Amino acid sequence: MSKLVYRVVSACGALGYGFPRESLQEAIKGRVDAIVSDAGSMDAGPYFLGTGTEYFEREAVKADFRHMVEAGLQTGAPVILGSCGMAGGNRNLDWMLDVAKEVFAELKVGDAKVAVIHSELAPEVVIGELRRGALRPTGLGPELDEEALRQSTIVGQMGIHPLITALESGARYIFAGRACDIALFASDMVRRGIDAGIAYHVGHVLECGALACDPGSPSDCLVAEVYDDGSAVFVAPNPDRRCTPYSIAAHSLYEESHPQLQFYPEGVLVMDKTEFFARDARSAGIRNSRFVHAGKPWPLSIKLEGARRLGARKVSLIHIDAAELPKVPAEVLVYGRNGVQAAPVQEGERELGIIVETTAATLEAAETLASLLTHYLIHYGYPGRKATAGNIAYPLSPNLVSFQREDGRFGAIVPSGTRDPVFFANYEKVKAAVIGLIEAEFPEALANAQYRIIDADEQSPAILLRTIDTDPARLAERHAAEVEAITRLVTPKPGSHIGRDAADAYAWSLYHLLQNEEVITNTMFPITYFRAEGAQWVEEGKDRPRYFDIGIRDETANLDDRTLSLIADAPPRGEPHSMQRLLDMAVVIRSKDAGINRLTFDIVFNSAADYEAALRSNVFYKDHVAATLGVAPERVVGSFFVDTCNAIKISIDRPNISASPDERDVFGAQQQSRIESLRVPVFIQPLASASTL
């Protein structure tokens, strides 16, 4: 019988999403080796790195971290956070340390060793690498420019070695700047001698908390148990969720541009031989994942992210009568027509704008409730959800616009939208559930502010105008001209917002690999140790990460992410005997950013029979995919088959860099509607009656 050798708890998908304290208390029953949470990401856009601010509400982050510290005190397990303060820059990290000191004081944490690992890199160092031609692109754009880099805040994504060094020092609490999500979980497992293949795959499943469950949500906990036979099993501590082979397999594809190859600073996670299995009705596991030491540019190839300010921004949200929609120029963003995707809705499609608006006596109260509503709305998991990466699309980063009303009270609005037919069917239930969650977790937020959720569709359209400029006077003049050009054609309805000042606009200036090992080993990721007594932290010393090689060195398998598992052009013979809606064939159909410059689409089928029929239809061959999505074939990175979990993955170059001025969907979580609408010709009687999953 296999023996448990390691047990790790993922608190939630990102610190601030919130999770039930009861789930964490259930998770820490028995052995606990580490309590971990990713605390941020680049997904929400460059604003948070450029400004050093947090995406989530302070009280939400504090509540989540407090629960984690309580669990750490109960179990004695280390508590690990990465990408602190959302973007992981120095100011973001300092913000999180301030929250941590407050929590430590309240919980009377004493004689605790703390490790703080910084990720920020001076622009001059990066400019030097640019001049040497030593920065490696990760896809299309952004274009590198010395002056833009000089104006940028730049971080590097740390791998496992800085974290392992901190753990080896005996640190009980680790606060890391920008970090590879998976490294936060894999580091301690690798340190303890667990095979890197299973460690990295476990980390990838855990990094979004219970999003890998059914139903999935990042606002809940997930546990992984690693056994001495090389397997790992995932268990949801919340009895309302379960882990299944399909949910674990589906999440193994998440946010990656290839289904079986994932590239990290130290090498490549290879999942072409991974097995997904059920242990019982509520838990599922993996085995046979491999980690390959791939040589240059791995190991010690660090992904750099840079953000710079574009200028101030003004926003107008104009509600109009449906009869006036044809008067609005085609390029203008209108919820109900082209608010979620640039291509307008087709016959039979629906687009719904979801506009959260709050009112309160204070700006903080208005912003807090608006943020809570939108964070829960985008990620609320419900039975039957197919677009598991997010329910709605945000056009702005940050997504919230706050202001003072004419009566002196304060307001906040968050525009968003969706084209997901499954979400439409559950919309009213989702709204009620979200309000219930906020009532339970943050009752004061509802007590201190009022809200309304406004629907905008073809029958009640809403126009979103955005203007950016470095000069305030010119910005006001340009935006007023844009508003005037629209209002000559249509009449704004009551409730419209004209000329609101939004947060400054930022752009990604860097998304490249740094390959200078001397800079990586001697400059990046410095570690500082503290002895903490409540809010009083006394510095005890500094350290440098210690690097070593990991992974298989004699691997002969194909590691080319452009050819491995590529769907070939194989036109079927004969006539189809039926047509099936893809919505009826798949349990997951989602889109998501895979970095700032790629979009990836995951389709996980109900059964092996449906998967086989889809592959034989040739609908998912690269050229047909390009036509379906309305992109040039050369922008399709690949369309891949995934036999291990009855899935198809499609990756394309993003039409724009994420969070660009013309953005409609910062997270890329609502770009799958054209895929959802596909009808698949069935050319043979399915050979399999049920999936092994």
Side-chain angles (χ1 to χ4, degrees), residues 51-289:
T51 59
T53 53
E54 170 62 88
Y55 174 72
F56 294 103
E57 308 77 28
R58 190 180 194 279
E59 287 306 308
V61 172
K62 181 183 175 182
D64 286 356
F65 184 64
R66 183 185 176 97
H67 293 335
M68 291 180 68
V69 173
E70 288 173 336
L73 293 171
Q74 289 176 252
T75 61
V79 175
I80 303 170
L81 296 181
S83 298
C84 285
M86 189 62 184
N90 290 346
R91 291 170 295 173
N92 304 100
L93 182 55
D94 288 344
W95 184 94
M96 185 65 228
L97 296 181
D98 185 64
V99 172
K101 288 176 181 179
E102 192 173 301
V103 170
F104 277 22
E106 292 174 1
L107 296 179
K108 296 180 172 57
V109 174
D111 193 28
K113 186 168 185 176
V114 174
V116 177
I117 312 174
H118 286 82
S119 295
E120 202 164 305
L121 190 61
E124 291 76 14
V125 175
V126 180
I127 291 170
E129 295 300 300
L130 172 62
R131 290 172 177 171
R132 292 175 51 239
L135 296 175
R136 174 177 170 146
T138 58
L140 297 180
E143 296 298 325
L144 295 178
D145 175 83
E146 282 195 23
E147 186 56 32
L149 291 175
R150 194 168 285 111
Q151 299 169 2
S152 298
T153 303
I154 297 171
V155 291
Q157 276 193 26
M158 74 178 72
I160 63 172
H161 295 98
L163 296 155
I164 288 176
T165 304
L167 287 164
E168 291 286 356
S169 79
R172 285 280 307 280
Y173 300 91
I174 298 176
F175 299 88
R178 186 68 173 111
C180 175
D181 305 344
I182 282 71
L184 302 172
F185 298 90
S187 54
D188 194 37
M189 285 183 270
V190 171
R191 181 177 78 96
R192 293 172 183 244
I194 292 170
D195 178 75
I198 205 71
Y200 277 74
H201 196 161
V202 165
H204 183 69
V205 174
L206 290 180
E207 53 99 9
C208 281
L211 193 60
C213 299
D214 181 18
S217 172
S219 299
D220 210 340
C221 308
L222 185 60
V223 173
E225 300 171 348
V226 182
Y227 292 86
D228 62 0
D229 64 357
S231 67
V233 174
F234 301 93
V235 182
N238 186 336
D240 293 334
R241 306 188 193 280
R242 62 189 185 121
C243 295
T244 67
Y246 102 76
S247 73
I248 301 303
H251 194 76
S252 298
L253 310 177
Y254 188 61
E255 293 182 317
E256 299 290 337
S257 61
H258 194 279
Q260 295 162 338
L261 301 173
Q262 295 178 9
F263 298 90
Y264 298 107
E266 304 81 15
V268 186
L269 174 61
V270 185
M271 298 181 292
D272 60 336
K273 294 183 172 62
T274 298
E275 295 178 27
F276 301 90
F277 62 90
R279 183 172 71 177
D280 53 44
R282 294 194 61 253
S283 60
I286 56 173
R287 59 170 71 95
N288 296 336
S289 299

Side-chain angles (χ1 to χ4, degrees), residues 149 193 235 299 331 342 364 420 434 499 511 530 549 575 593 652 677:
L149 291 175
V235 182
E331 68 274 11
E364 181 183 11
D420 182 4
V434 164
Y511 194 66
F530 297 88
D549 290 347
E575 296 295 323
D593 288 344
I652 66 171
S677 66

Side-chain angles (χ1 to χ4, degrees), residues 313-501:
R313 175 157 44 194
K314 279 187 175 290
V315 169
S316 289
L317 185 67
I318 304 172
H319 298 276
I320 64 171
D321 189 270
E324 295 191 312
L325 179 56
K327 302 177 185 177
V328 181
E331 68 274 11
V332 174
L333 188 160
V334 184
Y335 282 112
R337 183 183 71 183
N338 62 342
V340 175
Q341 298 176 27
V345 291
Q346 298 177 333
E347 185 177 352
E349 288 184 325
R350 181 192 180 200
E351 179 177 280
L352 176 67
I354 300 173
I355 300 159
V356 172
E357 183 169 343
T358 59
T359 302
T362 67
L363 182 63
E364 181 183 11
E367 291 181 339
T368 296
L369 183 56
S371 294
L372 287 169
L373 285 164
T374 53
H375 291 159
Y376 278 117
L377 273 171
I378 190 172
H379 283 303
Y380 183 78
Y382 55 87
R385 181 168 73 147
K386 297 184 187 292
T388 57
N391 300 322
I392 51 181
Y394 297 130
L396 299 173
S397 173
N399 55 32
L400 181 148
V401 178
S402 54
F403 52 90
Q404 189 166 19
R405 298 181 183 277
E406 289 71 15
D407 62 2
R409 290 167 64 80
F410 292 89
I413 52 172
V414 181
S416 67
T418 180
R419 291 188 180 184
D420 182 4
V422 183
F423 182 76
F424 294 152
N426 290 273
Y427 180 39
E428 296 303 323
K429 293 179 182 178
V430 169
K431 283 194 292 186
V434 164
I435 298 303
L437 283 170
I438 297 174
E439 286 177 339
E441 296 290 326
F442 302 97
E444 69 285 354
L446 283 171
N448 295 334
Q450 296 79 49
Y451 75 92
R452 59 180 185 145
I453 299 175
I454 305 163
D455 296 344
D457 57 16
E458 190 176 18
Q459 301 306 312
S460 52
I463 299 169
L464 181 66
L465 299 179
R466 300 166 286 182
T467 313
I468 299 168
D469 206 303
T470 55
D471 180 81
R474 191 169 59 232
L475 171 64
E477 182 180 341
R478 287 180 54 213
H479 190 72
E482 292 178 25
V483 170
E484 199 271 334
I486 290 294
T487 54
R488 281 201 309 265
L489 305 173
V490 301
T491 301
K493 294 173 68 175
S496 296
H497 295 273
I498 308 295
R500 299 295 188 187
D501 290 318

Side-chain angles (χ1 to χ4, degrees), residues 567 582 603 605 614 618-622 625 639 648 650 678 680:
I567 294 175
L582 186 62
I603 307 159
F605 290 87
N618 212 37
V619 164
F620 297 97
Y621 171 58
K622 179 177 179 178
V625 163
S639 183
I648 289 172
I650 301 162
L678 283 172
V680 178

